[in-house]
Amino acid sequence: MKRPLYLATHNEHKVQEFSAMLGHLWEVRSARQLEQEVGCSITWDETGQTFEENSRIKALALRRYTQAAVLADDSGLVVDALRGAPGIYSSRYAGTPKGTPRTEADLANTMKLLKDIEGVPESSRAARFVCCLVFIDENGREQVFTGTCEGQIGRQPSGDHGFGYDPVFFLPSRGVSMAQLDEAEKNRISHRSMAIARFLDART
């Protein structure tokens, strides 16, 4: 029987991605499932100044409610022309109210990004997705893993897959946006898959 691994996220898209990449080793469970098991809501405030700090905050929030292994990620888009923005504020870049449906918030964030980078030439639109994982095992030992995916910001959204900034994150080597890749291809090259690969390497 697989051991449970709780993910510190309420984002079902992330749960699906992690399950696809880790489900062969773990029984992947979401924060929402843990909430149902313990009978209370589990929240956290992302007050860190780095992806690692925010990821650790989320991992520890879950760890208070379970002795099982927990895994948290903090990830976002880093745009060189915007001096690293939106960075750790990627999910709330447009300032949409808390509780706004994910698809509406994603669209608002994307539109703000395109406006902020409007007029920047192709040669200066370099960007990368960054993912930092914090894993705490059943014994309380912590490990940190980071992955990145390089690309650039497109002029307009394209593609129907993925979520977040995927439609405007262009991959020059493939000639498509992240949102034009199917799930299997995205899971092979994404920042999250790079971090997870390092995580899995540490398990062997």
Side-chain angles (χ1 to χ4, degrees), residues 146-203:
T146 301
T148 61
C149 180
E150 299 288 334
Q152 66 184 58
I153 305 303
R155 296 289 180 182
Q156 60 186 17
S158 59
D160 300 318
H161 302 294
F163 60 97
Y165 297 96
D166 287 353
V168 295
F169 189 78
F170 188 70
L171 299 160
S173 62
R174 286 173 167 75
V176 297
S177 76
M178 188 74 89
Q180 290 174 295
L181 300 177
D182 61 31
E183 182 180 2
E185 180 64 13
K186 178 182 176 180
N187 286 345
R188 280 193 288 271
I189 68 164
S190 74
H191 53 308
R192 195 162 290 115
S193 69
M194 295 299 103
I196 288 175
R198 293 185 173 104
F199 166 65
L200 291 174
D201 284 346
R203 311 266 72 75

Side-chain angles (χ1 to χ4, degrees), residues 61-130:
L62 258 64
R63 183 66 179 178
R64 283 193 283 272
Y65 294 90
T66 181
Q67 291 302 303
V70 300
L71 182 66
D73 93 297
D74 197 53
S75 54
L77 180 66
V78 173
V79 180
D80 291 348
L82 299 179
R83 298 181 180 179
I88 61 172
Y89 304 105
S90 292
S91 65
R92 52 193 188 276
Y93 190 47
T96 52
K98 197 169 184 178
T100 300
R102 184 74 266 157
T103 52
E104 291 182 26
D106 285 349
L107 180 59
N109 289 335
T110 298
M111 292 301 101
K112 175 173 169 52
L113 172 65
L114 290 178
K115 183 176 184 299
D116 289 348
I117 202 173
E118 188 176 8
V120 175
E122 301 296 329
S123 59
S124 300
R125 298 173 75 92
R128 66 206 51 82
F129 277 124
V130 177

Side-chain angles (χ1 to χ4, degrees), residues 44-77:
W44 50 78
D45 292 320
E46 296 181 30
T47 56
Q49 298 302 305
T50 65
F51 292 116
E52 181 177 331
E53 289 176 4
N54 281 334
S55 187
R56 182 173 293 109
I57 286 169
K58 290 184 272 192
L60 292 174
L62 258 64
R63 183 66 179 178
R64 283 193 283 272
Y65 294 90
T66 181
Q67 291 302 303
V70 300
L71 182 66
D73 93 297
D74 197 53
S75 54
L77 180 66

